[in-house]
Amino acid sequence: MDARGGLGVIVSRKKCGVVAMVMTVLLASSAAVAAGKVSEPVDYVSPNIGTIGQLLTATVPYVQTPHGMARLAPITTPGIMDRYLANKIYAFPAGPAWLMAATGKTSTHPENYASSFDHDFETATPYYYEADLQSSGIKAEFTATQTAAYYRFTLPADGHAHLVLSLEKGSELKVVGDAAVEGSQKADGTVSQVVPTKGETREYFYVEFSKPFGHFETWRGDQLSEEKTEAGDHIGFVTDGVSSADEQVEVRVGLSYISAEQAKRNLRREIPAWGFERVKQQTREIWNRALGAVQIEGGTERQRTIFYTALYRSLGRMTDITEDGRYFSGYDHAVHESGGHDFYVDDGLWDTYRSLHPLQMLLEAPKQQDMIRSYLRMYEQSGWMPSFPSVAGEQAVMIGHHAAALIQDAYSKGYRDFDVNEAYAAIRKNETEATMLPWKRGPLTSLDRVYFDKGFFPALAWGETESVPEVTPERRQAVSVTLETSYDDWCLAELARSLGKRDDAAYFAKLAHNYKKVFDPEIGFMAPRSADGKWVEHFDPKRGGGQGGRDYFTEVNSWLYTFHVQHDVAGLIEMMGGRERFNSKLDQLFVEQYGTSKYEYLAQFPDSTGLVGLYAQGNEPSYHIPYLYDFSGQPWKTQQRVRMLMDVWYGDGPLGIPGDDDGGETSSWYVLSAMGFYPVCPGSPVYEIGSPIFAKSVVRLANGKEFTIIANHVSSRNKYIQSAQLNGAALNKAWFEHAAIANGGLLVLEMGDRPNMQWGSAPAYAPPSMSQEQMGTSE
């Protein structure tokens, strides 16, 4: 309820003294907001953070519910990828359609309805957006529910006011009565099938207007007509009427990947009656509950803004609700129908297994288990466990079969509400029968057999031309494939061991050591080998591999992937010659320079933004690396590094994300690190300790229990841990087990401005690794 509505009720029922008190509270609240002082988590969120990309993809300032299917943001000038710098708003999303309000001459081209806008006359929040469309004098507002959008347009006095819907390729549109339009559009590569379905994938919408639209026209191509149906490419619908000053028109939009009728049902279920302010307030409250799962005290206004914005982005990927009312998490990709409701799956695991899913496992464990069950349904339908979205239903994306990591992480932390035996069979099939080739799905190739026979994925020899037909333009990425597959093999070995499958456990544990097969001791780096077992000649750990390093690596170089042994850091340290040499190499990573100009380096490795030396905070293979000092006896360096990375590469303005956010993965690193811990190896139920920036963080776990982190005396200078207690007992190591906090817990850190080089530094206090015979316990 807005302040005016609420106040009207109070005036009619209360005495003047109470009215005066209420007015004082309202005015004080308004003053606090105007002064930048906020009391609720949602008020800290600034969706425009990151809307100017460091080099590649900028963030999108979505209005949505947590994990909502309806994700709304202004459609700005095409071709301007840094959204904050766009000069015009072209439209707003109505599923696949573009919705716009405008005045002036009727047109069949959306660009003719575009309007200039100014961020100084804009409000962007997770639950509500407002902008002045300055070219037409229209105020545009919108909010969202799970599968529906709600718009409100305030019009000027004009003889030709329009509401416009436009669609492009493979579209259908039908006018229904005098106040509704429905339609669909063929889904492109951004909404692609990941399991077999009947026919093509389409996006459907059902649009209702708060007032009869009177005169309207439709179009196909450049031809306007009074037809009620249109089909084909470049079609649309436009009203034309007289508006009075400050006249408001509301538009409700239901969305679906099943049918227009299902879109209508979704709309009726979630917005059964008109009332923009009511829906806006409901979505605000939903976000406050979701963001309130983490309560923080201390830090600066800037840090709280960055934190809650990062948490908002960590809760952004889609879900929908099945008939039994449970949630199934999802990416931007519809997969199939389930019980009359849209059904989604988050299958973008190459990046998100690292910190996004572990964060969501803490906050939303039931949803993570639901998602695993949906993965299993996809396996039942397609015969394969998904690992990343496909393109046009044919081609996988990125590398690795990291559903193994998601499932092992859930199982190891005690979240087992899914058919674990079916899950094991599914990920085992992926590991043993599906090709490891980047951006490829299909059976094993000759290159995969080299991995099983010799322990590494083969690269091309120096000067050799590609002759394997299955290799895509993304190249072989041979060293990264070996390293990430050995990690997946470790996940499978751990799950096999838990299930009593001894032979499988031994077999996959052996494969998990394959990372050693690509470490070249002569140069001290992970390096490519050709199928004959020889090291590739003329290999440069810094610049080798061509564009994006893709002959040998995934988006980055050997300086980063040499540390990509999450499951066996102890083994990596030993292989490098011990702690001293390991720490020296790790130190050098953060100061090593590019070997060329910075622009030439970034031209080759455009994903490597957020650079500190050759460390790249803008790309996911880096994220665990600052925490490796916890394994090598120098946890104070982890504390210093993570603080510096948070301070330098995360901000509260449009440039505030160090690289591609990738569905919230980059943001989730900040959320966990700001609280003071991070999971170096998902699948191992432990968290490594960093350096919190808040005096107190309270995490409300999915079971309702609370895990509290207290950092006494914390400040910008007091970043170093002097001592620690976990659940009342002294903690002498820089890590703790999930079991210690699963039913609530208390971590107390005493902070100071000088490193305590004894705390957590003894070899016996290192976090667990595969090479260790058994996991330690908290001291």
Side-chain angles (χ1 to χ4, degrees):
M1 184 179 296
D2 63 24
R4 290 173 297 173
L7 185 59
V9 174
I10 294 170
V11 170
S12 67
R13 296 180 181 179
K14 302 295 182 181
K15 295 181 179 180
C16 293
V18 177
V19 173
M21 179 183 69
V22 171
M23 286 297 295
T24 300
V25 171
L26 289 174
L27 290 171
S29 175
S30 299
V33 171
K37 298 177 181 179
V38 291
S39 57
E40 295 186 304
V42 73
D43 295 318
Y44 283 109
V45 177
S46 178
N48 277 323
I49 289 177
T51 49
I52 300 175
Q54 297 291 341
L55 194 59
L56 297 177
T57 305
T59 60
V60 181
Y62 284 123
V63 169
Q64 61 175 111
T65 58
H67 308 299
M69 173 179 161
R71 309 180 80 192
L72 313 178
I75 299 168
T76 52
T77 309
I80 300 179
M81 302 307 295
D82 292 324
R83 293 170 178 269
Y84 196 82
L85 303 178
N87 62 330
K88 290 185 177 182
I89 292 175
Y90 272 55
F92 305 96
W98 287 15
L99 170 67
M100 190 56 168
T103 58
K105 186 178 179 181
T106 300
S107 173
T108 63
H109 296 282
E111 61 268 25
N112 292 333
Y113 298 112
S115 173
S116 59
F117 76 113
D118 186 334
H119 291 294
D120 292 335
F121 298 87
E122 173 189 61
T123 300
T125 77
Y127 61 91
Y128 169 75
Y129 179 88
E130 174 190 329
D132 287 349
L133 304 180
Q134 296 179 334
S135 299
S136 57
I138 294 173
K139 182 170 78 171
E141 304 168 89
F142 58 81
T143 187
T145 62
Q146 190 79 12
T147 61
Y150 200 154
Y151 292 91
R152 180 167 66 187
F153 299 104
T154 302
L155 307 174
D158 198 281
H160 294 281
H162 312 296
L163 291 170
V164 188
L165 287 166
S166 57
L167 298 103
E168 289 304 318
K169 294 183 179 180
S171 302
E172 298 174 344
L173 180 150
K174 179 181 179 181
V175 178
V176 183
D178 63 354
V181 179
E182 65 182 27
S184 68
Q185 183 170 293
K186 182 179 179 180
D188 60 18
T190 64
V191 186
S192 50
Q193 296 168 271
V194 293
V195 297
T197 58
K198 296 180 180 179
E200 63 187 11
T201 301
R202 299 190 68 83
E203 299 176 78
Y204 296 89
F205 65 89
Y206 180 82
V207 179
E208 285 186 341
F209 301 87
S210 60
K211 300 176 180 179
F213 35 65
H215 179 71
F216 71 87
E217 294 177 287
T218 59
W219 76 76
R220 180 179 179 184
D222 292 328
Q223 186 64 44
L224 285 163
S225 73
E226 295 187 355
E227 297 290 333
K228 290 189 174 184
T229 62
E230 294 285 359
D233 299 341
H234 187 65
I235 63 174
F237 162 89
V238 57
T239 67
D240 187 14
V242 176
S243 61
S244 57
D246 297 324
E247 178 181 352
Q248 291 188 328
V249 179
E250 297 182 355
V251 183
R252 301 183 295 186
V253 185
L255 311 177
S256 175
Y257 286 97
I258 296 173
S259 66
E261 183 59 32
Q262 180 62 44
K264 181 178 180 180
R265 285 196 292 267
N266 289 345
L267 178 61
R268 291 281 191 268
R269 183 182 68 246
E270 296 178 9
I271 311 178
W274 297 102
F276 184 88
E277 291 297 326
R278 181 189 71 253
V279 176
K280 170 185 168 183
Q281 182 62 26
Q282 288 171 349
T283 304
R284 175 186 167 86
E285 291 169 359
I286 290 170
W287 270 114
N288 258 330
R289 287 195 297 271
L291 297 170
V294 183
Q295 295 287 338
I296 55 175
E297 296 179 14
T300 64
E301 190 86 3
R302 174 181 180 272
Q303 288 170 331
R304 291 190 291 272
T305 295
I306 298 168
F307 179 85
Y308 278 116
T309 304
L311 183 56
Y312 144 79
R313 296 203 183 281
S314 300
L315 301 176
R317 285 189 166 182
M318 295 185 190
T319 64
D320 197 16
I321 306 172
T322 60
E323 284 188 319
D324 61 7
R326 292 177 297 177
Y327 288 92
F328 288 81
S329 296
Y331 196 65
D332 300 352
H333 305 269
V335 294
H336 72 294
E337 300 176 15
S338 173
H341 290 270
D342 293 309
F343 186 95
Y344 291 86
V345 171
D346 179 344
D347 52 343
L349 288 172
W350 177 79
D351 28 38
T352 58
Y353 85 85
R354 304 166 195 270
S355 57
L356 182 63
H357 285 292
L359 173 61
Q360 292 178 349
M361 199 79 72
L362 280 172
L363 304 179
E364 306 173 319
K367 293 183 182 181
Q368 292 287 294
Q369 294 169 97
D370 284 338
M371 189 178 67
I372 292 172
R373 287 194 294 272
S374 66
Y375 269 65
L376 295 179
R377 293 185 186 182
M378 293 173 67
Y379 165 69
E380 291 164 1
Q381 293 191 17
S382 71
W384 298 101
M385 179 69 83
S387 290
F388 214 97
S390 67
V391 177
E394 294 292 336
Q395 191 178 53
V397 178
M398 303 304 295
I399 65 172
H401 298 135
H402 295 319
L406 172 66
I407 291 168
Q408 167 58 17
D409 197 46
Y411 190 87
S412 71
K413 292 173 179 173
Y415 304 120
R416 303 173 181 179
D417 188 14
F418 55 90
D419 188 336
V420 67
N421 287 299
E422 184 181 29
Y424 178 81
I427 57 179
R428 188 187 193 282
K429 182 178 180 183
N430 272 27
E431 286 298 299
T432 58
E433 300 181 33
T435 183
M436 304 170 203
L437 271 170
W439 293 67
K440 187 72 176 179
R441 65 167 56 198
L444 299 176
T445 68
S446 59
L447 303 179
D448 300 293
R449 294 186 180 92
V450 174
Y451 178 85
F452 290 113
D453 293 342
K454 299 183 179 182
F456 60 89
F457 198 80
L460 288 171
W462 178 259
E464 183 182 4
T465 301
E466 185 60 72
S467 61
V468 177
E470 294 91 346
V471 176
T472 74
E474 290 290 322
R475 314 293 288 166
R476 295 188 182 187
Q477 304 178 26
V479 181
S480 293
V481 167
T482 301
L483 294 171
E484 299 210 23
T485 301
S486 69
Y487 165 69
D488 292 337
D489 288 332
W490 172 81
C491 291
L492 195 54
E494 288 294 290
L495 189 56
R497 182 177 59 81
S498 298
L499 298 178
K501 301 178 184 293
R502 295 183 179 179
D503 291 344
D504 272 10
Y507 173 70
F508 288 108
K510 180 180 178 181
L511 294 180
H513 285 85
N514 281 343
Y515 72 88
K516 297 179 179 180
K517 301 291 182 67
V518 290
F519 182 77
D520 184 350
E522 293 295 320
I523 63 173
F525 287 94
M526 300 294 179
R529 302 175 74 172
S530 53
D532 60 7
K534 295 180 180 179
W535 298 109
V536 173
E537 296 178 336
H538 311 296
F539 170 65
D540 178 0
K542 188 179 297 184
R543 302 292 304 280
Q547 181 61 31
R550 284 178 173 82
D551 283 341
Y552 313 132
F553 299 99
T554 304
E555 300 183 345
V556 294
N557 61 20
S558 187
W559 270 93
L560 287 170
Y561 260 102
T562 290
F563 296 100
H564 206 286
V565 188
Q566 298 156 276
H567 61 293
D568 196 15
V569 181
L572 179 63
I573 292 172
E574 181 182 6
M575 192 168 61
M576 285 189 172
R579 283 184 159 197
E580 184 176 348
R581 290 187 178 182
F582 178 86
N583 286 329
S584 177
K585 175 78 76 174
L586 193 51
D587 290 344
Q588 190 62 31
L589 169 67
F590 290 97
V591 296
E592 183 71 19
Q593 292 303 291
Y594 319 118
T596 183
S597 64
K598 187 174 183 179
Y599 71 82
E600 285 183 348
Y601 183 84
L602 287 173
Q604 181 180 358
F605 299 105
D607 293 275
S608 292
T609 51
L611 286 168
V612 180
L614 294 185
Y615 174 87
Q617 186 59 37
N619 207 10
E620 289 80 8
S622 300
Y623 291 168
H624 68 287
I625 294 176
Y627 289 87
L628 296 184
Y629 290 110
D630 284 353
F631 293 77
S632 59
Q634 297 184 338
W636 66 90
K637 288 185 179 178
T638 286
Q639 295 153 29
Q640 188 273 334
R641 292 292 184 199
V642 296
R643 278 291 195 96
M644 181 269 289
L645 292 167
M646 286 188 283
D647 289 344
V648 170
W649 283 114
Y650 291 82
D652 60 354
L655 281 165
I657 297 289
D660 293 2
D661 198 28
D662 287 327
E665 172 60 22
T666 303
S667 290
S668 68
W669 183 94
Y670 186 93
V671 172
L672 290 166
S673 295
M675 291 191 293
F677 60 96
Y678 185 84
V680 165
C681 181
S684 176
V686 302
Y687 305 96
E688 284 68 33
I689 296 174
S691 179
I693 61 176
F694 301 114
K696 182 178 181 181
S697 302
V698 181
V699 182
R700 186 180 68 239
L701 306 175
N703 61 6
K705 306 294 185 178
E706 291 184 347
F707 171 43
T708 301
I709 305 100
I710 293 176
N712 290 322
H713 313 296
V714 69
S715 69
S716 60
R717 290 187 173 185
N718 291 350
K719 67 186 72 171
Y720 298 105
I721 297 172
Q722 307 300 300
S723 63
Q725 287 188 340
L726 180 63
N727 298 333
L731 180 68
N732 297 318
K733 55 183 64 172
W735 61 277
F736 57 90
E737 296 177 90
H738 178 81
I741 66 164
N743 289 307
L746 174 63
L747 176 65
V748 179
L749 304 173
E750 298 295 332
M751 309 300 292
D753 63 357
R754 295 291 186 271
N756 178 351
M757 296 184 182
Q758 283 70 50
W759 184 81
S761 63
Y765 294 161
S769 290
M770 180 179 67
S771 292
Q772 298 169 328
E773 291 184 359
Q774 60 182 12
M775 290 176 59
T777 56
S778 298
E779 294 293 318

